[in-house]
Every structure is written in C-alpha cells, then in structure tokens.
Amino acid sequence: MMITPTLTEHRSPWVVFTSPADPWLASETAALVQRNGLVLRLAGREMLDPASVFRTFARELSFLGYFGHNWDALVDCLQDWHGPGHGNQDLAILIEHADDLLNSDFLGLFVSVLAQAAWNSNLRLDADGELDEWRPRTAQHFVFLLDHTAPAAFTEKAARDMDVAVALADGRLLVTLTDVDWPGGDPASAPWTAGPLSFADEEILSGMTIKGIKLFRDHLGCSIHEAAAILQSRSDHLVRQRAQQLPLTSAPSDSPT
C-alpha cells in the first residue's frame, strides 16, 4: 500500500522527513497557500536541545506568554494555534536544515509531540473518539527537510516513542499515530510499523547482521541499503544502552540484555 502525504487534508501522515528538492513539497505548499493556508519555515540548526526547540517555536509562532516551555505545553499551543491575525488557517511547519537533529537524544519525543498536536488539530476528537463540534478542524502537518541525509536514517530514532508508527514510501519517512491509543488514527498494521524497532534486537545483539537487515527490510518495506542504515542506528542505540547499564526496556522479553 502506497502512502501519499498531504499538507492540505485532514489525514495522516502527520510528520514527513524528506528532501527540500522533493517535487511533492513544492506542489503541496503551493496548494496550501492557494487555499489561504500558511507555510512557516523554522531553522532546524537552531534546535540543538529541547530548550532551543521551545524558544524557536515560541518566537516563530508568536506563542502567548503563558507558554510553559515544555513538551506538553508545545502540544497544547500547537493544537490550539491561531497566530496573530491568522484566525484558524491550515498550517504546514517546515523545519529546514534538520540533518543535525539526527544526533539529538530527544528526536523521538519531539516527533511524537508534533504528531500528537497534528492529530488533535486535524481530527478534533473528544475522549470518546467523537468529533468535537465546538472546535474547528484545521489541517496541520510538519515536514523535516534534510539537505544531505537520507530520510531512512531517521527511522529508528523517530520510532522510539511507543505512540508513533512509521513507514517509508517514495524515499520519504512518514510518521503517524495508530488507533490503538489514538481514536481515528491509522491501523497498527502494515504499512505502518508501530513502536520502537526492537524486533531485530536479538539478531543485532547476536551479530546476525544480514538477518537483522532482512528483518528491517521486510517489516518496513524498504531497500536493503535503507535497512542497513536503520540497523546501524538501532545497533548504536543498543550499544549506548549497554554502556550506560540501562535495561533494554524496548526489547522483547526474550532478548538478551
């Protein structure tokens, strides 16, 4: 099943990693502006830690003074955002020059927060999964633009939050939230791979590299080259966990620790 992302419709994927030269990006941003939507560009190079993420969003989106400069507050301000003079316009936020975020420890949480805000803005569902008629729906999506890094390289880090599901399609990395915990979300099945990519941990820790690469390829529907990059990222993560003497909490219970 091929997934085509959107910046104008009220559907997932909520977050996309792609190249700034992607023709899809030009087409979708033009369509959004034509519909009186907004395209905001943020500098990924400024987002070196959570504090700088909060500062950048607060400055560029003119958050009100009560913004708490934490992840929960970022979700709240994004899902209820209507910048000065903008009303309730559809919104695409492009995070440019985002390559360096691959080295951040907070990327998985960051991606999850953006997906949660977009889910709420687009669907406007109440606690029972019913449409909240008192709150207008707005199309809100986020795009990480990578100058020289392949989107697939971000797969493992983007998928570390339990709520997040990822897919690779047309060279793009796509992120959604599944219907397990998010009513109206995508099914927690193919083509989405939900939760931390721990299904190949046993192979990685046992040194069965080829088998691990094939597992990533089969689960994610990606190329061997992309699967190898994902395996390397997961392997580095497991090595760091071992070095810090932390339990492999995201690994299957029968995996070696």
Side-chain angles (χ1 to χ4, degrees):
M1 176 182 176
M2 186 62 66
I3 307 169
T4 303
T6 179
L7 297 181
T8 60
E9 301 176 30
H10 299 288
R11 64 169 176 83
S12 71
W14 309 126
V15 181
V16 178
F17 289 77
T18 191
S19 162
D22 188 344
W24 164 82
L25 179 68
S27 174
E28 284 292 309
T29 52
L32 182 64
V33 171
Q34 188 173 24
R35 292 171 47 147
N36 197 36
L38 290 173
V39 177
L40 299 183
R41 296 176 180 270
L42 278 60
R45 290 170 177 163
E46 294 185 8
M47 302 182 193
L48 304 179
D49 51 47
S52 60
V53 170
F54 306 142
R55 286 197 301 271
T56 300
F57 271 82
R59 181 185 69 241
E60 299 300 326
L61 276 76
S62 301
F63 286 167
L64 298 180
Y66 58 73
F67 174 54
H69 288 260
N70 58 62
W71 295 115
D72 288 338
L74 184 58
V75 172
D76 291 340
C77 285
L78 284 172
Q79 68 191 25
D80 290 322
W81 186 79
H82 46 86
H86 299 316
N88 290 301
Q89 288 174 278
D90 294 337
L91 174 67
I93 294 181
L94 311 184
I95 300 176
E96 299 181 304
H97 312 300
D99 302 74
D100 288 346
L101 285 168
L102 184 59
N103 300 318
S104 70
D105 293 328
F106 61 89
L107 180 64
L109 179 56
F110 186 19
V111 170
S112 175
V113 162
L114 297 182
Q116 291 175 43
W119 174 89
N120 204 314
S121 297
N122 281 273
L123 301 184
R124 292 300 191 195
L125 302 179
D126 60 24
D128 298 319
E130 301 294 330
L131 184 66
D132 186 346
E133 298 180 356
W134 297 100
R135 304 173 72 193
R137 301 169 70 196
T138 55
Q140 184 180 104
H141 298 85
F142 301 88
V143 184
F144 288 80
L145 297 178
L146 309 174
D147 296 325
H148 51 78
T149 309
F154 282 77
T155 305
E156 193 274 331
K157 281 197 171 184
R160 284 190 190 166
D161 194 282
M162 292 299 299
D163 291 336
V164 166
V166 296
L168 289 163
D170 289 335
R172 307 178 189 109
L173 172 62
L174 313 176
V175 178
T176 189
L177 301 172
T178 68
D179 57 6
V180 174
D181 297 305
W182 300 88
D186 291 282
S189 60
W192 299 104
T193 299
L197 305 184
S198 58
F199 49 80
D201 284 0
E202 183 173 351
E203 286 72 19
I204 293 172
L205 294 170
S206 300
M208 295 184 286
T209 302
I210 298 301
K211 187 174 181 181
I213 289 173
K214 289 180 178 178
L215 281 172
F216 283 123
R217 180 198 63 186
D218 295 343
H219 275 75
L220 296 167
C222 59
S223 68
I224 287 289
H225 178 74
E226 291 172 327
I230 295 165
L231 180 138
Q232 184 61 57
S233 178
R234 183 68 185 173
S235 177
D236 292 344
H237 173 60
L238 295 176
V239 168
R240 284 194 298 271
Q241 281 194 322
R242 278 196 157 185
Q244 297 167 359
Q245 296 183 330
L246 295 176
L248 301 179
T249 54
S250 62
S253 59
D254 60 348
S255 296
T257 53

